[in-house]
Amino acid sequence: MTTLKARLKDDLTTAMKARDELRSSTLRLTLTAVAKEEVAGKTARELSDDEVLKVIAKEAKKRREAAEAFEQGGRAESAARELAEGEILDAYLPKQLSDDELAAIVASAVEEARAAGAEGPRAMGAVMKIVNPKVAGLADGGRVAAAVKKLLVG
């Protein structure tokens, strides 16, 4: 089985051969981020696919945030490029949960937290602790927090 990192490298080679500048630069930057993560810490190591996914998710989030900033700054062209790069990266991430799927997971976590004695807005931390492992990589943290808040505060 090929690793996610190997797949990124293969896709980069394919993009370069096809002279796909956007895909090439996006994958090159992502592989650089992966390499940087591999040498962070005391010893260099090979990242697992899960760790590579986290790096890709972080890179995709950076693109979304940059696109938002460019949009607010009236730089639509730069925003469009950031969004396009984000879409390329999204293809490597697991399919995101729909709002309904996320709401169902959050609702069951709220019930679980209530059963453990956590109530109202103060239960946010307890609910997030239950939800996060279930949705890791499948929903953006901001979306999760908003869904939890909506159910707890009403």
Side-chain angles (χ1 to χ4, degrees), residues 53-54 57-58 60-61 64 90 93-106 128 131-148:
L53 268 179
K54 281 184 184 143
K58 202 177 350 176
K61 184 179 180 186
R64 282 192 300 276
D90 285 345
L93 298 170
K95 188 179 164 300
Q96 297 292 291
L97 293 171
S98 71
D99 289 342
D100 292 342
E101 291 167 323
L102 182 59
I105 291 170
V106 168
M128 290 298 283
V131 173
N132 278 335
K134 295 178 182 174
V135 300
L138 302 175
D140 184 59
R143 271 183 68 206
V144 176
V148 170

Side-chain angles (χ1 to χ4, degrees), residues 3-66:
T3 63
L4 186 52
K5 184 178 167 186
R7 189 175 139 212
L8 286 169
K9 285 180 177 175
D10 291 346
D11 291 353
L12 173 59
T13 305
T14 306
M16 286 164 60
K17 285 179 182 167
R19 299 200 186 301
D20 183 341
E21 191 276 328
L22 178 71
R23 185 172 293 275
S24 299
S25 70
T26 303
L27 294 177
R28 206 176 275 122
L29 286 168
T30 304
L31 281 164
T32 301
V34 168
K36 197 167 142 192
E37 191 66 33
E38 286 178 333
V39 297
K42 287 182 171 51
T43 55
R45 64 196 173 81
E46 188 79 20
L47 294 184
S48 70
D49 275 0
D50 282 347
E51 291 170 312
V52 172
L53 268 179
K54 281 184 184 143
V55 172
I56 295 172
K58 202 177 350 176
E59 289 295 309
K61 184 179 180 186
K62 278 185 201 170
R63 300 308 189 287
R64 282 192 300 276
E65 289 170 352

Side-chain angles (χ1 to χ4, degrees), residues 148-154:
V148 170
K149 220 175 266 172
K150 192 170 123 189
L151 270 182
L152 288 177
V153 181

Side-chain angles (χ1 to χ4, degrees), residues 103-141:
I105 291 170
V106 168
S108 79
V110 168
E111 289 308 311
E112 205 176 310
R114 279 203 182 113
E119 286 281 340
R122 288 191 308 273
M124 180 94 181
V127 174
M128 290 298 283
K129 243 182 233 151
I130 298 166
V131 173
N132 278 335
K134 295 178 182 174
V135 300
L138 302 175
D140 184 59

